[in-house]
């Protein structure tokens, strides 16, 4: 086990109240595994990754739980010790390749910075390593392009530079926050292919955060579905797509237009919208949009329970599990 | 059979990027470069392509936000490109647009009711005392409540704002709506709501759509015919089912194979294109796709390919079909 997140809660203290962006979530990532976290905007998937990286900004704060990386608690480490891990053993690719590179630095200097810091190489060696990484991620004439500034590159190129930077120190865990969302499909295919190849080559684990279920089905080994800061369902990729359990997951899958579907019928719709985080329903956060909502759903929060290795947070499966499901 | 509502002939839009000392253009961006197709009454024509292929520019020419550099644009048989600005404006009412970003396309200082009423008042369609009633009717059509007309855009979610944008477009009773990526900024569960709404409105008001998007699955859901653009050129036009079942142009094939399929059992044979889309300022000579094409021949780099009908209603611009 590489990373273990235990009961993580992250809150944002606002003037109008406290928003629990991430609410008591637990999961693990094994070595070499690709774990996908899916959810819509506001589901807490990005905040989860920022919490792990220790990059939360005010007023966000981790208020409970532990983040164990190789059994050491990341929150208990000093700033310096955290910095040793970040960019070295754990690194991150951000969603916006346009805004996450420094516009006034040549890309080689940006990549060399972390190599020199973590790998203790000389400038010359670091430059060689930078060019090698740029070649690995598929940038043509890498030695020349290394002298470019970010604005001289296209979106796909910049995302490759980000990826090269993240992979330069051979991290064991890569957190990729919507790495392909800003890109075109043909470029998306290139980047996913690259992540796959890098996983094989360096045997790194990937935490892939996305809202695109197509990307998940394509790339992930295991999937976590988040809604309003809670884990609603967790399963390996096959069982999630073949037998989704939670009404939210089922609704999401049905509401996407499928490329191999020729029917002209209207799409399935999940009615309503995500509740206001300052004014959450009392029971299950999905209860006001759920077609199978029962009296009980609006009153109490269902627990995440495991049925044959497939975890789901829904009262529908309490009854089916028989006696053992009762609390 | 079906009547042609809009006929686009060899339309082009060039932007001058740089001029020399004498004001002569030295560097020209050819955003749309000779595009021809027609849209029939009551159909939804889907236009797909990657960023920078000129699909939005084309949409903006149709609604008169840009004037074309050359080419003709026939609307109900009339050439709109020869009209002067005043005459052209009369047709703006019939051709409306829904924009991509619901956060940027609504005036934050106007109430939603005023936003929807504005085009009615500008065009003088109704006496002032009937406008409010019409606004309430339009809000109902797009699934918003009457009391929401007094609110400001920031009080609405992305999906609701997109509904306001749709109501504003409907306000002047257009014949055709150019939908420029209307759902790409929305969450999956909201996308389905807006797509279904667009489908219902089309039936109800007998609308015609030009549906611009980069999501091929979304385009497939809503369109009757689909055109594929690459670097300012149309490379393939076909009825929806034909295009998705039987893509002919290598670019369309690559584009379709790049879409992740929601089925972990089915790993697609993927065509991974190399490199990026070339710059439209200096596009490759000959076929514009030749620099990335996996079936490229010598002739592709010399001569541009013209659209040819390979089967009824299915047009392809590729030298493989010469």
């Amino acid at each position: 086990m590489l990373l273990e997140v235990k009961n993580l809660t992250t809150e944002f203290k606002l003037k109008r109240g406290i928003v629990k962006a991430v609410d008591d979530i637990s999961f693990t990532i094994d070595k070499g595994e690709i774990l996908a976290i899916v959810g819509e905007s506001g589901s807490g998937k990005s905040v989860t990754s920022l919490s792990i990286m220790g990059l939360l900004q005010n007023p966000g704060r981790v208020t409970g739980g532990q983040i164990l990386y190789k059994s050491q608690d990341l929150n208990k480490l000093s700033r310096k010790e955290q910095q040793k891990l970040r960019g070295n053993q754990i690194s991150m690719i951000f969603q916006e390749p346009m805004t996450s590179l420094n516009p006034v630095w040549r890309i080689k200097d940006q990549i060399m910075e972390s190599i020199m810091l973590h790998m203790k190489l000389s400038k010359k060696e670091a430059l060689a390593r930078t060019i090698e990484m740029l070649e690995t991620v598929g940038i043509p004439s890498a030695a020349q392009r290394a002298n470019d500034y970010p604005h001289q590159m296209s979106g796909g190129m910049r995302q490759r530079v980000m990826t090269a930077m993240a992979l330069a120190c051979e991290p064991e865990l890569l957190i990729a926050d919507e790495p392909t969302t800003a890109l075109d499909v043909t470029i998306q295919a290139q980047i996913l292919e690259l992540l796959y190849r890098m996983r094989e080559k360096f045997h790194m684990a990937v935490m892939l955060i996305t809202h695109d279920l197509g990307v998940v089905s394509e790339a992930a080994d295991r999937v976590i579905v988040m809604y309003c800061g809670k884990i609603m369902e967790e399963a390996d990729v096959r069982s999630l797509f073949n037998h989704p359990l939670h009404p939210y997951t089922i609704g999401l899958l049905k509401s996407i237009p499928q490329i191999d579907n020729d029917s002209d019928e209207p799409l399935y719709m999940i009615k309503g919208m995500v509740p206001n985080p300052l004014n959450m329903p009392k029971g299950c956060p999905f209860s006001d949009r759920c077609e199978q909502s029962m009296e009980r759903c609006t009153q109490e929060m269902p627990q995440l329970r495991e049925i044959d290795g497939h975890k789901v947070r829904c009262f529908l499966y309490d009854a089916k599990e028989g006696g053992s499901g009762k609390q | 059979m079906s009547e042609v509502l809009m006929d686009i002939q060899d339309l082009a839009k060039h932007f001058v990027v740089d001029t020399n000392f004498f004001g002569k253009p030295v560097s020209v961006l050819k955003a749309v470069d000779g595009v021809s197709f027609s849209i029939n009454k009551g159909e939804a024509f889907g236009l797909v392509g990657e960023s920078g292929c000129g699909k939005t520019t084309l949409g903006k020419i149709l609604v008169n936000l840009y004037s074309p550099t050359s080419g003709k644009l026939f609307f109900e048989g009339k050439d709109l490109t020869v009209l002067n600005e005043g005459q052209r404006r009369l047709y703006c009412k019939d051709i409306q647009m829904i924009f991509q970003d619901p956060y940027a396309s609504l005036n934050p200082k106007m109430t939603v009711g005023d936003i929807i009423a504005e085009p009615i008042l500008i065009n003088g369609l109704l006496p002032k005392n009937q406008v409010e009633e019409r606004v309430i009717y339009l809000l109902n059509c797009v699934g918003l409540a009457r009391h929401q007309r007094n609110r400001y855009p920031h009080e609405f979610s992305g999906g609701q704002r997109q509904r306001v944008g749709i109501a504003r477009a409907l306000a002047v009773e257009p014949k055709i709506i150019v939908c420029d990526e209307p759902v790409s900024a929305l969450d999956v569960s909201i996308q389905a709501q807006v797509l279904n709404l667009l489908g219902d409105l089309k039936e109800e008001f007998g609308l015609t759509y030009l549906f611009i998007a980069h999501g091929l699955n979304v385009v497939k859901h809503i369109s009757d015919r689909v055109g594929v653009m690459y670097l300012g050129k149309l490379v393939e036009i076909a009825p929806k089912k034909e295009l998705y079942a039987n893509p002919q142009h290598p670019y369309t094939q690559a584009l379709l194979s790049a879409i992740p399929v929601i089925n972990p059992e089915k790993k697609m044979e993927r065509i991974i294109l190399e490199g990026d889309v070339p710059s439209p300022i200096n596009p490759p000579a000959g076929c514009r796709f030749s620099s990335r094409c996996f079936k490229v021949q010598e002739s592709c780099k010399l001569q541009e390919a013209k659209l040819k009908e390979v089967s009824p209603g299915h047009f392809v611009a590729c030298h493989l079909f010469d």
Side-chain angles (χ1 to χ4, degrees):
Chain A
M1 199 184 301
L2 189 65
L3 181 82
E4 186 178 13
V5 174
K6 270 189 192 166
N7 306 99
L8 176 73
T9 302
T10 303
E11 293 180 343
F12 286 76
K13 223 181 217 163
L14 305 178
K15 270 187 201 147
R16 288 178 293 160
I18 291 172
V19 172
K20 272 193 185 171
V22 174
D23 189 3
D24 192 14
I25 68 168
S26 305
F27 63 89
T28 61
I29 302 178
D30 285 333
K31 264 196 162 156
E33 181 183 39
I34 299 187
L35 171 76
I37 300 188
V38 276
E40 298 182 273
S41 27
S43 62
K45 53 194 194 311
S46 288
V47 176
T48 305
S49 66
L50 293 178
S51 306
I52 294 171
M53 288 298 280
L55 292 176
L56 280 174
Q57 289 192 340
N58 260 335
R61 223 158 52 84
V62 175
T63 52
Q66 291 176 304
I67 302 163
L68 303 172
Y69 177 76
K70 292 182 173 167
S71 309
Q72 62 185 144
D73 190 341
L74 290 184
N75 283 329
K76 293 225 173 82
L77 295 180
S78 70
R79 206 83 197 150
K80 241 191 176 153
E81 286 169 315
Q82 275 189 15
Q83 251 162 29
K84 258 190 196 154
L85 285 179
R86 271 203 304 246
N88 188 15
Q89 296 199 32
I90 311 176
S91 62
M92 184 157 177
I93 306 178
F94 297 88
Q95 175 171 1
E96 281 287 331
M98 325 284 167
T99 51
S100 22
L101 291 172
N102 188 334
V104 297
W105 278 30
R106 291 177 196 278
I107 61 160
K108 69 171 181 196
D109 296 328
Q110 301 191 42
I111 302 178
M112 277 164 64
E113 187 188 18
S114 78
I115 298 178
M116 276 157 49
L117 197 72
H118 292 299
M119 293 175 100
K120 305 269 183 310
L121 294 179
S122 72
K123 213 165 178 182
K124 214 169 159 192
E125 289 165 326
L127 181 63
R129 170 103 188 126
T130 300
I131 292 168
E132 183 194 327
M133 280 320 293
L134 290 174
E135 273 165 1
T136 322
V137 298
I139 288 185
S141 45
Q144 282 165 33
R145 296 310 296 259
N147 290 316
D148 281 1
Y149 289 93
H151 75 268
Q152 292 169 291
M153 304 191 130
S154 67
M157 290 273 227
R158 277 182 251 195
Q159 196 58 286
R160 277 159 209 270
V161 170
M162 285 269 295
T163 313
M165 197 189 299
L167 297 177
C169 299
E170 297 182 12
E172 292 186 58
L173 174 65
L174 176 73
I175 300 176
D177 188 357
E178 307 260 12
T180 60
T181 306
L183 307 175
D184 283 317
V185 272
T186 57
I187 310 295
Q188 167 172 293
Q190 292 173 353
I191 298 283
L192 286 180
E193 179 78 16
L194 172 69
L195 276 186
Y196 235 80
R197 240 180 36 228
M198 296 294 123
R199 190 231 337 219
E200 300 291 301
K201 197 168 166 191
F202 300 118
H203 205 65
M204 65 177 184
V206 182
M207 183 170 139
L208 178 69
I209 292 166
T210 177
H211 68 275
D212 187 336
L213 287 159
V215 170
V216 172
S217 133
E218 204 66 35
D221 301 318
R222 210 149 47 84
V223 188
I224 287 176
V225 180
M226 281 184 79
Y227 187 75
C228 293
K230 289 214 171 282
I231 294 180
M232 299 312 249
E233 187 161 0
E234 179 182 342
D236 69 89
V237 71
R238 291 223 159 135
S239 97
L240 188 96
F241 284 96
N242 294 336
H243 312 284
L245 294 179
H246 199 283
Y248 175 62
T249 318
I250 297 171
L252 269 189
L253 286 171
K254 274 201 289 187
S255 63
I256 304 168
Q258 297 273 355
I259 203 92
D260 45 6
N261 175 9
D262 277 332
S263 86
D264 287 325
E265 286 185 13
L267 292 169
Y268 175 82
M269 290 190 279
I270 300 178
K271 58 179 185 197
M273 49 186 177
V274 181
N276 182 341
L278 285 166
N279 186 15
M280 279 291 185
K282 197 171 153 202
C284 169
F286 190 58
S287 58
D288 60 337
R289 301 177 77 190
C290 183
E291 279 183 348
Q292 304 187 57
S293 170
M294 304 174 282
E295 176 75 39
R296 192 180 172 195
C297 302
T298 57
Q299 295 306 320
E300 46 180 314
M301 177 70 80
Q303 297 303 311
L304 194 66
R305 56 186 63 246
E306 192 167 338
I307 306 166
D308 303 328
H310 191 134
K311 289 185 195 159
V312 61
R313 184 189 294 278
C314 183
F315 284 127
L316 285 175
Y317 300 95
D318 271 20
K320 284 178 193 164
E321 219 186 347
S324 60
K326 286 191 188 129
Q327 288 173 317
Chain B
M1 220 185 79
S2 45
E3 198 185 324
V4 173
L5 182 70
M6 201 168 230
D7 195 18
I8 292 145
Q9 288 179 6
D10 218 15
L11 206 63
K13 177 71 192 172
H14 297 173
F15 295 99
V16 175
V17 184
D18 204 3
T19 53
N20 68 7
F21 181 72
F22 304 102
K24 273 210 170 152
V26 287
S27 164
V28 177
L29 188 151
K30 295 177 177 169
V32 178
D33 198 18
V35 166
S36 306
F37 65 100
S38 59
I39 305 172
N40 296 327
K41 214 167 194 167
E43 92 172 330
F45 188 93
L47 200 57
V48 288
E50 296 180 279
S51 32
C53 74
K55 52 193 195 305
T56 298
T57 307
L58 182 61
K60 286 188 172 171
I61 295 173
L62 301 196
V63 295
N64 199 24
L65 285 172
Y66 287 142
S67 52
T69 309
S70 64
K72 297 208 175 306
L73 172 63
F74 291 95
F75 179 73
E76 292 184 323
K78 276 202 193 65
D79 186 357
L80 300 188
T81 51
V82 296
L83 301 179
N84 66 32
E85 198 51 31
Q87 291 170 319
R88 173 70 175 87
R89 208 167 281 163
L90 297 177
Y91 288 91
C92 288
K93 185 179 90 57
D94 292 331
I95 312 167
Q96 286 292 312
M97 188 160 184
I98 301 170
F99 298 89
Q100 173 170 10
D101 186 349
Y103 294 88
S105 56
L106 303 177
N107 186 338
K109 289 186 169 178
M110 283 166 82
T111 64
V112 159
D114 289 342
I115 289 173
I116 300 171
E118 194 179 25
I120 305 176
L121 293 169
I122 288 176
N123 284 286
L125 296 179
L126 285 173
K128 268 196 180 141
N129 56 3
Q130 288 173 31
V131 170
E132 184 161 3
E133 199 183 321
R134 173 86 180 149
V135 168
I136 293 168
Y137 167 76
L138 287 164
L139 281 172
N140 277 331
C141 286
V142 297
L144 294 172
R146 57 185 297 158
H147 65 85
Q148 289 175 313
R149 72 183 183 281
N150 296 324
R151 302 227 180 122
Y152 288 89
H154 74 264
E155 299 173 71
F156 290 84
S157 68
Q160 286 175 318
R161 283 179 214 219
Q162 207 52 298
R163 286 169 194 267
V164 174
I166 295 170
R168 175 177 62 185
L170 286 174
V172 291
E173 297 171 10
K175 292 184 176 142
I176 177 167
I177 297 185
V178 176
C179 310
D180 185 13
E181 306 256 15
V183 299
S184 52
L186 307 175
D187 270 324
V188 178
S189 71
I190 309 299
Q191 268 188 14
Q193 294 176 356
V194 172
L195 282 177
N196 283 350
L197 174 69
L198 286 171
D200 293 344
L201 293 172
K202 180 167 169 269
E203 299 283 302
E204 205 177 321
F205 293 92
L207 292 168
T208 304
Y209 288 147
L210 174 67
F211 196 94
I212 301 170
H214 69 273
L216 284 125
N217 53 347
V218 172
V219 169
K220 179 171 187 190
H221 179 76
I222 201 144
S223 316
D224 301 310
R225 282 193 304 146
V226 180
V228 182
M229 272 186 92
Y230 186 80
L231 268 185
K233 292 260 184 207
L234 268 172
V235 296
E236 188 160 5
I237 306 175
K240 159 174 90 173
K241 280 180 189 158
E242 166 78 8
L243 184 90
Y244 285 82
N246 197 10
Q248 294 296 325
H249 197 282
Y251 177 63
T252 317
Q253 292 171 358
L255 204 58
L256 282 172
S257 85
I259 305 168
V261 186
I262 303 190
N263 182 353
E265 310 291 336
K266 201 165 117 191
K267 290 269 181 244
M268 288 259 292
E269 261 308 300
R270 179 150 295 165
I271 306 165
I272 300 226
L273 290 179
E274 282 182 20
D276 288 314
V277 182
S279 155
I281 295 176
N282 282 313
C287 171
R288 300 197 168 186
F289 186 57
S290 59
S291 62
R292 295 173 83 197
C293 186
F294 51 95
K295 287 182 180 166
V296 64
Q297 307 163 336
E298 264 318 300
S299 59
C300 300
K301 291 178 182 157
L302 301 170
Q303 211 177 6
E304 225 168 272
K306 294 253 167 359
L307 274 178
K308 277 176 289 283
E309 191 162 16
V310 290
S311 61
H314 191 156
F315 297 85
V316 186
C318 179
H319 286 302
L320 291 173
F321 300 92
D322 283 350

